Amino acid sequence: MSGLTLRLKAPATERINLDGITPAKLASLSTYEIAWLNVGIEKNGLAIGDAFDISGSPSETLTIEGSGATLDFVGGGLDGGTIRVVGNVGAYTGRKMSGGKLEVRGNAGNFLASGMTGGTIHILENAGDNAGGFMPGDRFGMLGGVAVVGGNIGARAGEKMRRGTIIVKGKTGENTGTRMIGGTIWAEGGIGPLPGLMMRRGTLIGPSVDSLLPTFVDCGKHDLVIMRIMSRYFKSTLGDLAPKPMPLFVQKIGGDTAAIGRGEILLPAS
Amino acid sequence: MSKTVNGVSIDDTFAEAFGMTGTGIIITADSMKWARIAATVATGFGTSVIGAGAECGIDRELSPDETPDGRPGVRILMFGFSPDALVPQIRNRIGQCVLTSPGSACYSGLKAPQSIGLGKGPRFFGDGYQTAKRLGQSRYWRVPVMDGEFVIEEETGVTTDAVGGGNMLILGNDRAGLLETAEAAVEAIAKIDDVITPFPGGIVRSGSKVGAKYSGMFASTNNAFCPTLRGTVKSELGPDTLAVLEIVIDGLTSKAVADAMHAGLKAVTDTGAKRGVTRITAGNYGGKLGQHHYHLKDLI
């Protein structure tokens, strides 16, 4: 594979912070300088060269091999180019990513796509809790871009999410869309229990929902033009990763009426 | 030196056109019938920028594959003096004519570096119940209405490289035949993308000159081309001319206007002579006012 490759020398004994390790940043550095970049979180630090074997030369693509759940902030700050990861990644994957593409051939930990504003993330397997959610100190969760998760995601996905899209091939956990302000979560395997707690706006789409909060209300069956637009847009931009279009008529569940109630859960009309 | 093509004399002159601001808007609906209705109403009273505020027309019909929502659609074009001048035209025409049309939706119909508000005004009809969905670089407003939702994109592209006022004057000795020929020219022009012919049916029977004897009139009848005044004024018409019809063309690019004029001229010369068309000329101001000159002999 062309470009720079970082191969983990041995299973990490401490957490590794790859925030800001992007193709654009590495392209301006020599291999020697790259090897001395600090990716440790402990007092003595940890140089990339001590944790990874470095091969290839910097280009638009960065490959990380042999990774594990201790690699945090993979793709953090990514603004262009491509990062491919073979293996699992830890928390905060794609944190504040603004462009480019991040592909993880494994699982991702908590807070996937937190603060993300643009670009595309593709996790081939599962993701943890708070995908697209916010971190303490943030005003919002996910703010743009698209994250596609091949498996399931955990609880509270999209907490305080304002824009962007999360597509889940599997199912979401409980309290999806808690305090959601905007954006879309499309779960092809179904929406977990009690979604949309204090949701203001935004859209949750799925074939079913496990259970609803009492503050969500049935708005009837509708042929929504916006569903056609979304289906066509995702097909054109994501290709095979796009979710399968919903039936022409969807059941709109509006809420959370305990907040301003402009959010919606869209299910196939029965 | 004029030349003759298929029995139609073509003056050695040019059409003088002006730089304008143009935008494109896609209108969709549940059926082509209703997309066409909304587009026709939205472009109504869009003949001359001086009197109507904007020059508007239907560019072409779009198949479901060509629209953002997969429904039949129509692309309309609007032209004005400046982007700022187009803002109220878009707001009023879309708000009054498309928002109100059953099943309609409205999208950007021009990709350009500069953009202009499309749904920025009409969205407020939602009275706070409107919501937005951002997909890529586009933001779509969903305005609740009585038949569901009116979806409108927030912005559309705008270009200041557009051209307004490409024209040709068709002269003949048979009024009915002249009109049939002009219709054929408009049909040929309609096949060219990025252009409109904003007047009724694409044809003008009241060509104008700049100014008038009355104060407050910016334009008045082009007496030099009025056949009933021949002999009493300095006329441009020969003794055999019974009527004159003009086709005005606006386009998003100068090339589109030139292509449209070529198509129109060809249609007139192909069949005009047997319908009584004798001559083609063009309107200009001596070349001093408009930046774009389209010489008829170069286009035929």
Side-chain angles (χ1 to χ4, degrees), chain A residues 146 148 165-169 186-188 205 230-235 238-246:
Chain A
V146 179
V148 181
T165 305
I166 300 173
I167 294 167
V168 188
K169 297 295 178 183
W186 192 326
E188 290 191 89
I205 304 170
M230 284 199 288
S231 292
R232 289 174 71 84
Y233 172 78
F234 291 133
K235 187 66 185 169
L238 298 175
D240 293 340
L241 294 179
K244 279 185 283 188
M246 291 281 280

Side-chain angles (χ1 to χ4, degrees), chain B residues 39-92:
Chain B
T40 302
V41 177
T43 55
F45 184 51
T47 51
S48 165
V49 71
I50 295 170
E55 299 183 7
C56 313
I58 291 174
D59 176 19
R60 65 190 184 97
E61 296 184 352
L62 304 171
S63 69
D65 290 341
E66 298 176 285
T67 64
D69 60 21
R71 301 188 301 167
V74 173
R75 184 195 194 209
I76 64 169
L77 303 181
M78 288 189 193
F79 297 87
F81 285 128
S82 67
D84 286 346
L86 277 179
V87 168
Q89 291 291 325
I90 292 173
R91 183 182 61 232
N92 292 340

Side-chain angles (χ1 to χ4, degrees), chain B residues 244-257:
Chain B
V244 182
L245 293 176
E246 182 178 4
I247 296 174
V248 175
I249 301 164
D250 295 341
L252 293 175
T253 63
S254 181
K255 181 181 182 305
V257 172

Side-chain angles (χ1 to χ4, degrees), chain B residues 3-230:
Chain B
K3 67 178 178 181
T4 301
V5 178
N6 296 337
V8 178
S9 172
I10 298 171
D11 285 7
D12 182 10
T13 188
F14 59 92
E16 187 171 352
F18 299 85
M20 290 186 86
T21 293
T23 187
I25 297 167
I26 293 171
I27 298 168
T28 66
D30 294 326
S31 65
M32 181 58 81
K33 173 188 169 184
W34 279 100
R36 208 180 286 130
I37 288 172
T40 302
V41 177
T43 55
F45 184 51
T47 51
S48 165
V49 71
I50 295 170
E55 299 183 7
C56 313
I58 291 174
D59 176 19
R60 65 190 184 97
E61 296 184 352
L62 304 171
S63 69
D65 290 341
E66 298 176 285
T67 64
D69 60 21
R71 301 188 301 167
V74 173
R75 184 195 194 209
I76 64 169
L77 303 181
M78 288 189 193
F79 297 87
F81 285 128
S82 67
D84 286 346
L86 277 179
V87 168
Q89 291 291 325
I90 292 173
R91 183 182 61 232
N92 292 340
R93 289 171 185 275
I94 301 304
Q96 295 300 313
C97 308
V98 183
L99 163 68
T100 54
S101 182
S104 68
C106 201
Y107 309 100
S108 167
L110 177 66
K111 301 292 181 204
Q114 196 178 348
S115 61
I116 191 172
L118 175 62
K120 283 182 175 177
R123 75 181 171 97
F124 288 109
F125 185 73
D127 197 28
Y129 296 98
Q130 74 274 21
T131 58
K133 186 66 68 187
R134 189 174 191 90
L135 297 171
Q137 297 302 310
S138 300
R139 191 181 200 197
Y140 300 92
W141 283 101
R142 302 165 60 190
V143 181
V145 287
M146 294 195 300
D147 73 347
E149 286 182 344
F150 171 58
V151 175
I152 183 167
E153 199 168 340
E154 179 160 270
E155 294 184 329
T156 184
V158 66
T159 176
T160 53
D161 294 329
V163 176
N167 68 81
M168 66 182 75
L169 294 157
I170 310 167
L171 291 68
N173 54 26
D174 175 10
R175 206 159 65 83
L178 184 64
L179 184 57
E180 284 177 17
T181 307
E183 288 174 347
V186 170
E187 281 179 25
I189 291 168
K191 292 175 183 163
I192 307 296
D193 286 349
D194 296 340
V195 297
I196 58 166
T197 48
F199 283 91
I203 302 167
V204 191
R205 67 95 172 262
S206 59
S208 60
K209 67 177 184 292
V210 177
K213 67 180 282 188
Y214 303 106
S215 60
M217 291 283 286
F218 298 110
S220 60
T221 191
N222 194 354
N223 42 274
F225 281 88
C226 292
T228 57
L229 297 181
R230 184 176 48 220

